Amino acid sequence: MGRAMNRLARAAHGMARDLRALPGRVRALLLTVLITGITTFMLMPFLTVSLTERGFGIGPAGLCVAAILAFQQAAGPASGWLADRYSLAPVMTVGLMLRAGALVLLAVSGSYALLLGACVVLGMGGSMISLPIRLELIRLPEEDRRQTMALRGAAVNLGALVGPGVGGVLISASFATVCFLSAAIQIGVIVLVWCYARGTAPYGSPRPGPGPAPARQLRGAGAASLLVVSFAFWAAYSQINTTMPVAIVEEGLTTSALSGIFILNAAIVLTLEYPLIRLLARKMPSTRLARWGLVLFGAAFCCLAVIPGIIGFVLFIILVSFAEIGYTSSIDDVIARSRPGGPTGAYVGLYSVADGAGSTLGAAGGAELYSKALDLGAVPWFWVAFAGLMGAGAVLVGRRTRSGVGKEL
């Protein structure tokens, strides 16, 4: 136990040292990721409950949540195009102001039409914050890119860990309290952006122009396969939140087991992602790391297919955690190198759309397919199908490397 704590302390010290070595602009962007993540997860777990308590049904409440997620992803190409044209700080400022206004509307409105509209605006504002940050970090010099992406992942996971706890405390006062405080924080982040994150590009590197239409960019770069892989990965990842909890209940396990599995996932990713990526950055190319992530994800689904009970679920979440570390920390580096001349905002935005479509359709379609698999007694084959999907994704990423695009990876 003492040795493990020492390793964690050394990892934390290394992370702090590397953070200090980054320019203040990049540190400000990572802090923005953390703060917006906390405010998002302060709200999201309680939004459906609040709307149902106001007299709206579970269906309309679910539609509001879906609107936030859908518009945050769908607005990706437009947010990226705006970031190319007007630079980072103005676009993020508009996004933060949209989020603040939408949060106030969520707190005070009693009209479902206005609430749904506020959720749409909230999602679009989120896109105008997250997509430009992703684009700026993708454009970092390659020696810093993967480690900074791992730091971004740590910030996202820390926000997801802290946010629900903060929201849980504040919700005892009222849902409006959560919304108003979150809105005030968005305004504070605007000051942070203009003080530390304004400018043209990280390290003063040249910013590519908007370039041709996204469809032409895809044909020119041969990046359609990466788009398919992005869609497939998030379609599979969505099963963690949709079909796996149902499977746990079907196995007769308790809700405590379900909570423990999710906590294990957060703990592994939060504590090990950055040290592992820092160790592997000089030893393993991005494409290979992304492929290994997909292979491990496929192996995780195989565990669910062949190992019954809690052992299968624990092995699944351990493998998924390492798969998530490998894939999510490296895929942006692969994307960065996949378009000659550097990625434009609209180009990166297309991957945001693919991620969102994969999550949305994977969750809805996965739930329906799992229900049919239960009726037919073919649940193991349901998991095997996702394992095959991840294997196909690994092959596609490998073929991109052999075909010459990204061959330097």
Side-chain angles (χ1 to χ4, degrees), residues 276-328:
L276 276 176
I277 296 306
R278 194 167 183 271
L279 176 66
L280 295 173
R282 297 180 181 86
K283 299 181 179 181
M284 186 176 290
S286 296
T287 305
R288 191 183 305 165
L289 189 57
R291 290 206 311 270
W292 271 110
L294 293 168
V295 169
L296 287 174
F297 208 172
F301 283 113
C302 288
C303 285
L304 290 182
V306 301
I307 303 175
I310 188 66
I311 295 176
F313 290 112
V314 169
L315 288 175
F316 170 81
I317 211 66
I318 290 173
L319 288 172
V320 161
S321 300
F322 286 102
E324 181 180 348
I325 289 170
Y327 178 85
T328 59

Side-chain angles (χ1 to χ4, degrees), residues 268-279:
I268 291 174
V269 175
L270 194 58
T271 59
L272 296 182
E273 179 174 18
Y274 188 74
L276 276 176
I277 296 306
R278 194 167 183 271
L279 176 66

